[in-house]
Amino acid sequence: MGDKLVIGNWKSNGRRLENEALLTLLCAQALEPNIGVGVCVPYPYLDQVGRLLEGSAVVLGAQDVSAYPDGAYTGEVSVGMLADFGCRYVIVGHSERRALFGESDQMVARKARLALEGGLVPVVCIGETLAERDGGEVASVISRQLEPIWAELDVDDLARIVIAYEPVWAIGTGLSAEPSQVDEVLAFVRQSLSSRSTQADTVKILYGGSVKASTAFDLFSLPDCDGGLIGGASLVAVEFLAICKAAAAVSNNGSVNE
Ligand code: 13P
């Protein structure tokens, strides 16, 4: 566990001028040394953002990757290309991609494996819908999403992934899950990981879904929470910086994950 990790997911947002304004503000602030910070940006801006982040502690990531290598896959962006632009992280299996673009659990696992093989860290997103939660299916949905990941990755690789629990009903709604709800699922994920890997404690498990500066501290203080995957708030420099500050404050408290 150790240092908290805060990753911004810009989703399908950004323009060159806006990106520059946002990152100039972000990079002007000295980030605490005890947190990791990344931004996952749309493909066309990887080059621009990579340049703007040069010399800063903020690292670059993408929001998706092809499930295929280089080759005759029109419209796809391969892991090799992301590595070529200096990406460290790549989000795989975001609920928006699962719901709107038909990504299966198996495809997500395959993307995670390709990312690792290409030297990137996959941020594997999992989470239930409201109907699934109301139907008492949280554990079975999370298990169904995780199983192909466990099957696809070998034990050493498992220790190198990041997992993001993002309940679909909390994404973009302004309604974060309650810390107790998050706590329960994160503990379940950690437990599932422990049954596969002796290094389960070192794997970062993030929470995502309407995280704000005002809720970040309580969420990041949960015993199995290693940070956050931040959507809307990552587009507002002052809000994103405040979330990073909350992460640093939890790390400094030494209250958890030691
Ligand atoms: P919001 O923070 O906008 O709810 O988005 C969360 C998310 O989907 C991050 O990947």
Side-chain angles (χ1 to χ4, degrees), residues 22-58:
L22 174 59
L23 292 170
T24 302
L25 288 169
L26 209 57
C27 295
Q29 295 291 317
L31 294 169
E32 303 273 346
N34 60 354
I35 55 168
V37 179
V39 286
C40 293
V41 307
Y43 294 142
Y45 300 124
L46 286 174
D47 184 52
Q48 181 206 16
V49 171
R51 287 171 201 272
L52 288 166
L53 294 180
E54 267 169 30
S56 94
V58 181

Side-chain angles (χ1 to χ4, degrees), residues 125-173:
C125 297
I126 56 171
E128 81 288 352
T129 63
L130 192 55
E132 288 164 339
R133 173 163 285 268
D134 288 345
E137 296 167 46
V138 177
S140 63
V141 169
I142 299 293
S143 296
R144 191 205 71 218
Q145 292 172 335
L146 287 176
E147 281 306 326
I149 305 284
W150 303 160
E152 187 83 23
L153 305 185
D154 69 31
V155 170
D156 289 340
D157 280 346
L158 268 186
R160 294 164 49 214
I161 68 173
V162 171
I163 297 174
Y165 169 55
E166 300 205 301
V168 178
W169 48 274
I171 294 176
T173 58

